Amino acid sequence: MAEESGVSGPTIRRMEGAKGPSKSLAENVEAVRLALEAAGVVFLADGEQRIGGPGVRLREPEET
């Protein structure tokens, strides 16, 4: 994740800790979010409903 997002390993570990990303710089949180989305993670917006309830999903494979 550090390599893909450009955020340092220690910062990633802090973001994964008990305090979560709320104590991180907004730029670092955004960089990690963009890296995860590029890898196929879909973040559901507040109130967005999808099968399986709230949370995150993997992007559906594209039809060819």
Side-chain angles (χ1 to χ4, degrees), residues 18 29 50:
V29 174
R50 297 229 181 142

Side-chain angles (χ1 to χ4, degrees), residues 6-37:
V7 175
S8 73
T11 297
I12 298 290
R13 284 188 289 282
R14 277 194 305 277
M15 291 172 78
E16 292 174 335
K19 293 183 181 178
S22 65
K23 296 295 181 183
S24 297
L25 294 174
E27 295 83 14
N28 289 339
V29 174
E30 179 73 0
V32 170
R33 182 185 67 80
L34 291 173
L36 288 169
E37 288 178 340

Side-chain angles (χ1 to χ4, degrees), residues 38-56:
V41 173
V42 176
F43 292 89
L44 302 181
D46 260 354
E48 186 176 355
Q49 295 295 316
R50 297 229 181 142
I51 296 172
V56 297

